[in-house]
Amino acid sequence: MAGKESTFTVLLGALEALTLEAFQEFKTKLWHVDIKGGWNIHGDELEKVTHPSTLISYMGDSYGEDAATDIAIELLEEMNQKDLAEKILDEKVKGYKQKYREHVAREFLQYKEVNSCLGENVSVSDRYTTLTIARKSWSQHGDEPGDISSDTVTTQTLFEPSEDGQVPRVMVLVGATGMGKTMTVRKVMMEWVEGALCTQFDYVFCVDCEGLSFSKEVSVVDLISKCCPQQQTPAGRIWGNPEKILFIFDSFEALGLPLAQPKDELSTDPTEAKPLETTLLSLLKGTVLPESSVLIATRPAALQSLTQCLECECYVEILGFSPAAREEYFHRFFGSDNKAHMAFRFTRGNEVLYSLCIIPVMSWTVCTILKQELYERNQLPECSKSTTQMIMFYISWLLKRRGSSTWQNPQQFLHKLCSLAADGIWKHKVLFEEKEIEDRGLNQPELLSLFLSEKRLKKGTDHGNVYSFSHLHLQEFFAAMFYALEDQEETVGGSGRLAKDVNTLLESYHSSRTDLNVTVRLLFGLLSPKSAEYADEGIGCRISLRPREDLLRWLQTRHLSHPGEAMSVEELDTFHFLSETNEESFARSVLGSFTGIALRDAKLTLYDQVALCFCIKQWAGLLSITLRSCSFHQLHGRQEPATELPRESRQHEELRSPLYPLCQALGHPGSSLQSLRLQWCGLTQGDSKALGTLLATLPSLTHLELGDGALDDDGVRMLCTGLRQPSCQLHVLR
């Protein structure tokens, strides 16, 4: 409304500045105006109008705000009142700038996440977390984060001069799928609206290339119009000051354009419609609107074609979340400090998940799943989704975002990719030459770029470029998947191909190849009915459950030293393997062969405790537990005010005990535990209370050792509270 009042005020001033004769001429010309879709002012009504304010009111009611202003400008120009027309036009453009900023705020302030409910939107300012963005030269494409010798940038410094003092006219923002390119673009748009970024630009136009890919012939003005909220756009005034324009092309790779020299000549006229490739190349090369600036957000697959048409020597690449940013993202996602802290501690204890959370969309995946878990249980002593299932959720997300025009069969491609990953894991190999990619039939850029990063070799080498998986744990996941997938005729056999022998994998891990731990753990996760079902539905790959018998037999015998002896599980990884299956019946089948747990020098993270507790609850024959020099990671790193907690303060005191999850699991119905030894485990006062509760609720427990004598008087009193209960049957306390 403010813009309308301001424009009409200037229009009123212009009409009042006319002589009586000129005002009459204006009315006469207005009488001959014919507007489609609007009410034309009748000649008799115009004759009665004697004051400019009345005339403006008639024009606004008859034509509408924008049309009335345009008509006034056109008529004044016909009357050679160019100064007055220019003054009105300046005010209109000023008002339009404000309208456009309001439009951008509406379009980019909030967005809808994949998993959100109907009508539920997320604010960019609430969710955006600072990404690590590095400025690189073209020769550094594909370098690992640690190899970067150039500076890092943020959205605030994206358009600042580089070390040589130059601000490139065209900036390329590169990032793999799920790295946060579109979110960064949204952040740039919002900071421009707020006046915190790109203040040198009057207009920032963001073009979604996924919607542009179907265009045949367009002009630069057409591109501008696609971004504007109304048809009455002062295009001439906008492109008349090109140095005040920033074009942003998001999802540039969706265009699939080679950007070679087009058949048509490059354009110099913003209004000239030409093939899409020609118009874009004209804008990038600066033959049209050479003073304007361009930001391209793209996947790495489009870099090669961009290098052929751009003269700039550097670009910026999103590398993901730093450790501090990962924790910040969890707090932004959950909002509640208590739940965010609990979810982050759970993830931090899982080395695989935490490491993968460098990828923003993987952080989103983990938070989405854990939020549902906390909503249902309000705590994380258990999690119904395994690491394997979270990774499959992420891969399904990736596959759904491959180009809609792709014809490749992703399932056949994934079989070949898994073979490559497994071969690399066995050979301690993370870099793959271009020829190897081609020989395996993986040279399908649209699919390959989802999972592998391309690394340019220095000039003078004759091996072509090399590739690596976007994360080592993804290579380990696909290596595990190699052993789980049902064979396809197209991928079976072949000289030099890795044999699909699960027993060889398991025995190699057990004897010497401890580096295979993640691959083996994820294999257990894949070979569960739930994972097999999700792989079929979410990824389109069929998992064979036949190797489950090999896994079962291996776990039942790996701890066996002498036949017939009572066995204890002495390796923490056994609990992780069983927990990863998330299958109670399978865990019971394995644990039925054992009667005890004996762990030494283990630093038990929350994730370790989750795995341990899952197994204990399925273990009816567990008789003894011995933990020597083991430490328990705190559930809460800091004390929260009781008023902010969802549970009673008494329960909260127990939750702060690192031993609480274990004691809760040991007290499950059907537990027959007889002996519990916690030697040199650094027990706290809260642990004493948890143990006292266990003594009062577990009558089978007859032997308790707390070997380090670290309990103070308050701790002893809490323990005695449990000892006094009639249900306590303890015989030995040391």
Side-chain angles (χ1 to χ4, degrees):
M1 289 299 294
K4 176 181 178 180
E5 292 173 0
S6 180
T7 303
F8 272 21
T9 299
V10 174
L11 177 56
L12 175 61
L15 295 184
E16 288 177 339
L18 295 175
T19 64
L20 186 60
E21 182 181 355
F23 183 66
Q24 191 63 37
E25 181 185 356
F26 184 89
K27 290 198 300 178
T28 302
K29 288 182 176 292
L30 187 61
W31 183 33
H32 294 91
V33 170
D34 185 19
I35 297 293
K36 291 183 179 180
W39 292 96
N40 294 314
I41 304 176
H42 197 273
D44 293 339
E45 293 176 331
L46 284 173
E47 283 294 330
K48 298 176 184 178
V49 174
T50 59
H51 195 276
S53 61
T54 308
L55 182 59
I56 290 174
S57 179
Y58 270 120
M59 292 175 67
D61 293 340
S62 300
Y63 307 130
E65 171 194 349
D66 290 327
T69 305
D70 290 339
I71 290 170
I73 293 171
E74 183 179 347
L75 296 183
L76 289 171
E77 287 178 342
E78 289 180 8
M79 295 167 58
N80 204 29
Q81 299 284 347
K82 297 188 182 298
D83 289 344
L84 294 177
E86 190 75 14
K87 192 173 182 180
I88 299 171
L89 183 57
D90 286 343
E91 190 61 37
K92 179 184 177 180
V93 170
K94 182 180 177 181
Y96 186 81
K97 288 178 183 177
Q98 181 59 34
K99 285 182 182 178
Y100 180 69
R101 286 180 182 268
E102 293 169 357
H103 165 73
V104 170
R106 289 192 299 271
E107 290 292 312
F108 290 90
L109 175 61
Q110 294 187 325
Y111 67 99
K112 188 175 181 65
E113 288 189 326
V114 177
N115 65 316
S116 58
C117 300
L118 184 64
E120 181 183 359
N121 292 319
V122 180
S123 168
V124 172
S125 57
D126 290 342
R127 183 61 56 83
Y128 180 81
T129 305
T130 302
L131 291 159
T132 300
I133 306 175
R135 197 185 306 273
K136 291 185 174 183
S137 66
W138 293 111
S139 61
Q140 285 179 297
H141 172 45
D143 283 357
E144 294 296 322
D147 296 333
I148 296 169
S149 57
S150 51
D151 57 322
T152 57
V153 298
T154 65
T155 55
Q156 290 287 338
T157 61
L158 199 56
F159 296 95
E160 290 184 357
S162 57
E163 292 180 354
D164 59 3
Q166 299 296 315
V167 179
R169 178 181 164 270
V170 179
M171 177 72 72
V172 180
L173 175 68
V174 179
T177 306
M179 272 295 185
K181 298 183 297 297
T182 297
M183 193 66 164
T184 300
V185 167
R186 285 185 173 275
K187 180 66 171 174
V188 169
M189 295 297 288
M190 285 310 303
E191 290 193 341
W192 172 73
V193 168
E194 295 164 358
L197 183 68
C198 302
T199 54
Q200 68 270 40
F201 301 115
D202 286 344
Y203 294 95
V204 179
F205 298 115
C206 182
V207 180
D208 181 3
C209 293
E210 291 183 353
L212 192 64
S213 58
F214 297 102
S215 303
K216 294 182 178 179
E217 288 198 349
V218 294
S219 66
V220 173
V221 171
D222 292 333
L223 296 179
I224 292 174
S225 298
K226 288 179 182 292
C227 304
C228 295
Q230 297 173 339
Q231 293 182 349
Q232 297 293 333
T233 304
R237 278 304 181 95
I238 292 174
W239 56 260
N241 296 286
E243 72 281 359
K244 296 288 188 179
I245 303 174
L246 169 64
F247 292 96
I248 299 179
F249 293 95
D250 190 22
S251 302
F252 190 81
E253 73 286 342
L255 298 176
L257 298 176
L259 292 180
Q261 187 66 33
K263 296 178 181 178
D264 294 12
E265 291 186 5
L266 297 180
S267 176
T268 58
D269 181 0
T271 64
E272 182 182 18
K274 287 210 169 193
L276 177 60
E277 178 184 351
T278 303
T279 298
L280 287 177
L281 199 56
S282 301
L283 195 58
L284 294 179
K285 284 186 170 291
T287 62
V288 63
L289 304 186
E291 294 86 6
S292 65
S293 298
V294 180
L295 172 63
I296 297 174
T298 183
R299 296 178 190 172
L303 266 186
Q304 188 170 0
S305 62
L306 283 170
T307 57
Q308 297 173 1
C309 68
L310 296 179
E311 297 179 357
C312 56
E313 296 182 352
C314 67
Y315 64 97
V316 293
E317 181 173 8
I318 299 176
L319 303 178
F321 285 148
S322 66
R326 283 172 240 181
E327 185 169 10
E328 179 189 345
Y329 180 86
F330 273 67
H331 282 271
R332 286 181 176 274
F333 187 96
F334 283 92
S336 163
D337 281 346
N338 185 46
K339 289 185 177 180
H341 191 70
M342 190 181 298
F344 182 74
R345 291 298 177 190
F346 174 86
T347 306
R348 186 68 182 86
N350 182 339
E351 186 274 332
V352 175
L353 275 187
Y354 179 71
S355 183
L356 283 171
C357 280
I358 190 175
I359 305 171
V361 76
M362 192 65 197
S363 287
W364 167 78
T365 299
V366 173
C367 286
T368 298
I369 293 172
L370 294 185
K371 184 177 183 179
Q372 183 65 27
E373 296 290 326
L374 285 169
Y375 176 79
E376 294 176 354
R377 297 177 175 83
N378 219 11
Q379 55 179 317
L380 285 174
E382 298 177 0
C383 181
S384 64
K385 298 292 187 297
S386 65
T387 303
T388 306
Q389 290 168 333
M390 292 188 189
I391 296 176
M392 283 199 292
F393 188 99
Y394 163 67
I395 291 173
S396 174
W397 185 93
L398 285 180
L399 289 173
K400 289 175 182 176
R401 273 144 190 82
R402 72 184 191 276
S404 57
S405 61
T406 182
W407 56 267
Q408 298 102 328
N409 181 349
Q411 287 71 45
Q412 186 176 343
F413 176 87
L414 286 177
H415 275 75
K416 298 174 181 178
L417 185 70
C418 291
S419 176
L420 177 77
D423 190 59
I425 291 297
W426 275 105
K427 297 176 180 177
H428 301 282
K429 183 177 179 181
V430 295
L431 295 178
F432 304 92
E433 293 184 5
E434 199 163 9
K435 185 178 184 304
E436 188 171 2
I437 297 295
E438 294 174 356
D439 290 345
R440 290 180 180 269
L442 290 169
N443 51 334
Q444 302 175 27
E446 193 146 10
L447 288 171
L448 189 68
S449 63
L450 295 178
F451 307 107
L452 270 70
S453 301
E454 184 181 2
K455 179 181 176 68
R456 291 174 179 268
L457 295 179
K458 295 180 179 179
K459 293 181 179 180
T461 58
D462 56 357
H463 294 290
N465 295 334
V466 294
Y467 297 82
S468 65
F469 283 84
S470 54
H471 198 287
L472 174 60
H473 291 322
L474 286 181
Q475 182 177 350
E476 291 170 320
F477 172 83
F478 285 117
M481 204 169 183
F482 168 76
Y483 291 95
L485 287 175
E486 284 190 357
D487 289 325
Q488 288 188 334
E489 292 182 4
E490 301 94 323
T491 58
V492 173
S495 59
R497 296 299 190 204
L498 181 66
K500 189 180 290 189
D501 189 338
V502 170
N503 288 310
T504 299
L505 173 70
L506 297 175
E507 290 306 319
S508 296
Y509 167 68
H510 182 66
S511 60
S512 60
R513 290 290 301 272
T514 56
D515 59 294
L516 296 173
N517 173 272
V518 174
T519 301
V520 173
R521 189 201 312 178
L522 296 176
L523 177 60
F524 273 89
L526 285 166
L527 293 176
S528 72
K530 286 183 181 179
S531 294
E533 181 180 356
Y534 186 81
D536 189 18
E537 295 175 355
I539 304 177
C541 293
R542 297 185 65 84
I543 298 290
S544 170
L545 298 180
R546 288 190 297 273
R548 281 163 57 87
E549 291 300 320
D550 296 323
L551 301 186
L552 177 63
R553 187 166 49 252
W554 179 69
L555 281 183
Q556 288 174 332
T557 58
R558 69 180 297 220
H559 297 278
L560 183 61
S561 300
H562 302 287
E565 70 175 356
M567 293 189 296
S568 292
V569 178
E570 299 177 351
E571 301 291 343
L572 185 61
D573 60 2
T574 295
F575 303 116
H576 280 295
F577 296 153
L578 293 175
S579 177
E580 196 63 36
T581 67
N582 208 13
E583 186 183 352
E584 296 177 359
S585 60
F586 186 84
R588 286 194 289 269
S589 298
V590 172
L591 297 171
S593 303
F594 303 91
T595 59
I597 298 173
L599 299 178
R600 180 188 293 270
D601 299 323
K603 295 181 179 180
L604 299 172
T605 67
L606 177 56
Y607 185 70
D608 295 329
Q609 295 175 61
V610 167
L612 188 59
C613 292
F614 169 81
C615 293
I616 287 174
K617 289 181 179 180
Q618 320 310 323
W619 200 345
L622 178 62
L623 302 178
S624 68
I625 295 179
T626 300
L627 304 180
R628 288 189 174 91
S629 302
C630 294
S631 60
F632 294 85
H633 196 286
Q634 289 277 357
L635 268 168
H636 296 272
R638 61 182 183 276
Q639 184 171 343
E640 302 286 350
T643 55
E644 295 183 8
L645 297 175
R647 295 178 175 270
E648 298 295 326
S649 58
R650 178 183 62 82
Q651 290 177 303
H652 180 57
E653 288 295 328
E654 290 181 326
L655 279 172
R656 281 208 299 270
S657 160
L659 204 59
Y660 175 77
L662 177 63
C663 290
Q664 190 180 46
L666 290 173
H668 74 93
S671 174
S672 55
L673 184 72
Q674 298 174 4
S675 174
L676 177 60
R677 296 180 176 88
L678 303 173
Q679 300 171 339
W680 303 287
C681 292
L683 301 181
T684 66
Q685 180 177 322
D687 295 331
S688 300
K689 187 170 185 178
L691 286 170
T693 302
L694 179 65
L695 290 172
T697 56
L698 187 59
S700 64
L701 185 61
T702 59
H703 189 111
L704 177 63
E705 290 188 24
L706 309 174
D708 55 357
L711 295 181
D712 57 16
D713 292 343
D714 290 336
V716 172
R717 277 194 290 271
M718 289 182 179
L719 194 61
C720 289
T721 301
L723 290 169
R724 296 191 191 100
Q725 301 303 314
S727 55
C728 178
Q729 301 296 314
L730 197 68
H731 296 163
V732 177
L733 174 61
R734 293 177 182 170

